[in-house]
Amino acid sequence: MIVTTAELFKVAYGEFAVGAYNINNMEQCIGLFEGNLQSNAPFILQISRGARDYARVKMLEGLIRAAEDIYPEAIFAVHLDHGNEEACFDVIESGFYSSVMIDASHYPLEENIAITRRVVERAHDKGMSVEAELGMLGGVEEDIRVDEKHAMLTDPDEAEEFVERSGCDSLAVAIGTSHGAYKFTGRQGLHLERLAEIQERLPGFPLVMHGSSSVPREEVERINAAGGAMDPSARGVDEDEFAKAVPLGVTKVNIDTDGRLVWTRVHREYFRDHPEKFDFRAPGKIFMAEYANFIAHKNQKLNSAGYLEKVRAALT
Ligand code: G3H
Ligand code: 13P
Ligand code: ZN
């Protein structure tokens, strides 16, 4: 059942973070639903502009509708990840998604507020909620690359002003994470002290953590042992830190890269071990099962596992 993102956040705040997982194809979609049901967790299925270009808007919508039918017990929201104004308006008009993210964080504050405000007005007219971003994460997102020295933590005073003036419903904050596989070079980690200051200014307001993949060392090593050439020092967010972020207001955690690593590892290993094979359905099956296990594991760490019935009860 597709629900609004706001309904999920209402139950989640302070108790768990909703896992927000990107999909681009059928295998990810099936693995995602099975992993969430395996762990009895509500979730957010999110679609980037890149995914809309890759798989086609209609194909993704068809996949999601089919999955809703195949897995009637699932409770999830459908969210546009890193939208620009044009993509947000397109999604709002389509009426299919639960919520949009307008990412105008690379503009100066006043422009970010003005753009977000315009999207909020259109979205709220249709009963949809809006996630905005303030501060600058490092890494690559859509077509924008931000290097570490230009990444900027979210300023708590600005966050309070931004939410009030833009009218957004949740806020993606920069607290040290970045997109992609290469997040931390030294001993950096989450800036939980900054998160606490933001929560103090915005009590009860849902905060979002992007760039939250863990980039497991073992996964990178297996990819490289099967012919990959990833930087072996790649490191992500310590998944045990999610439990510290939840009481500080984080209700949505975005994970994409880790799923890509599962895909890459499964396919590299399969074709290394079976060089004579060419039927992609064999590794596809392995991937779907492994991705489902991965999702179930992440939901344990986010503490969303086991909350499905509580969310269902809150909806009725
Ligand atoms: O933040 C970026 C997400 O991982 C989506 O990535 O734009 O390559 O689909 P993408
Ligand atoms: P990762 O690259 O850490 O998976 O982050 C994904 C993300 O933030 C999607 O919006
Ligand atoms: Zn992101």
Side-chain angles (χ1 to χ4, degrees):
M1 179 188 0
I2 299 179
V3 299
T4 67
T5 306
E7 285 170 309
L8 296 183
F9 285 172
K10 215 183 289 169
V11 185
Y13 193 92
E15 291 200 38
F16 64 92
V18 186
Y21 303 104
N22 293 66
I23 70 154
N24 291 267
N25 64 18
M26 180 205 73
E27 289 80 2
Q28 278 183 309
C29 187
I30 290 180
L32 179 62
F33 277 78
E34 300 212 334
N36 283 297
L37 287 178
Q38 210 171 292
S39 53
N40 285 313
F43 64 101
I44 294 172
L45 179 161
Q46 58 183 14
I47 311 251
S48 69
R49 277 183 288 145
R52 285 160 63 86
D53 282 348
Y54 172 70
R56 316 292 189 270
V57 170
K58 272 196 180 301
M59 192 70 79
L60 287 170
E61 201 176 308
L63 264 181
I64 298 165
R65 285 195 194 285
E68 192 184 16
D69 216 32
I70 296 168
Y71 304 99
E73 328 83 274
I75 297 179
F76 63 103
V78 181
H79 178 76
L80 174 70
D81 189 29
H82 292 285
N84 56 12
E85 219 173 341
E86 189 192 353
C88 285
F89 290 156
D90 192 47
V91 160
I92 292 166
E93 286 318 305
S94 84
F96 177 67
Y97 290 43
S98 313
S99 51
V100 294
M101 175 196 192
I102 172 68
D103 182 0
S105 58
H106 42 284
Y107 290 108
L109 179 67
E110 285 303 321
E111 221 170 327
N112 189 354
I113 292 174
I115 295 169
T116 303
R117 178 90 232 156
R118 287 199 289 273
V119 172
V120 164
E121 278 162 11
R122 294 265 284 266
H124 284 185
D125 272 354
K126 297 258 182 178
M128 288 168 69
S129 51
V130 177
E131 172 186 328
E133 180 172 323
L134 183 66
M136 198 93 84
L137 275 76
V140 185
E141 64 189 44
E142 295 291 354
D143 42 358
I144 299 157
R145 189 182 164 85
V146 181
D147 61 40
E148 289 310 318
K149 65 178 185 295
H150 291 107
M152 252 176 2
L153 296 190
T154 303
D155 178 276
D157 291 328
E158 250 178 42
E160 186 179 357
E161 180 190 349
F162 181 88
V163 167
E164 194 187 316
R165 290 179 57 206
S166 71
C168 67
D169 305 283
S170 61
L171 187 66
V173 289
I175 53 163
T177 63
S178 59
H179 291 99
Y182 306 107
K183 299 184 195 303
F184 302 123
T185 43
R187 295 181 55 79
Q188 312 94 310
L190 297 185
H191 289 268
L192 293 168
E193 74 300 333
R194 180 59 67 100
L195 187 58
E197 288 176 65
I198 297 169
Q199 188 194 35
E200 231 172 77
R201 308 293 203 291
L202 294 166
F205 190 81
L207 303 175
V208 179
M209 256 172 60
H210 281 245
S212 298
S213 280
S214 304
V215 194
R217 189 176 297 256
E218 193 212 340
E219 206 68 302
V220 173
E221 283 169 359
R222 286 178 69 177
I223 287 170
N224 287 347
M230 290 186 65
D231 180 342
S233 70
R235 209 158 68 75
V237 174
D238 174 356
E239 56 189 11
D240 290 322
E241 300 235 274
F242 297 148
K244 300 179 193 157
V246 167
L248 299 175
V250 169
T251 52
K252 175 173 179 273
V253 167
N254 285 16
I255 296 171
D256 184 13
T257 296
D258 280 348
R260 297 180 184 195
L261 296 180
V262 175
W263 191 97
T264 305
R265 186 251 305 160
V266 164
H267 288 82
R268 279 197 180 278
E269 286 185 347
Y270 182 83
F271 288 112
R272 175 197 61 190
D273 297 341
H274 305 279
E276 74 289 1
K277 302 262 197 213
F278 52 87
D279 184 348
F280 53 80
R281 290 173 297 190
K285 269 189 201 162
I286 300 170
F287 169 74
M288 288 189 274
E290 297 237 349
Y291 191 53
N293 290 340
F294 160 80
I295 296 285
H297 166 80
K298 280 291 165 193
N299 291 340
Q300 299 289 345
K301 296 292 179 184
L302 296 169
N303 202 34
S304 62
Y307 268 96
L308 194 59
E309 291 319 314
K310 190 164 178 190
V311 169
R312 201 184 310 284
L315 294 170
T316 50

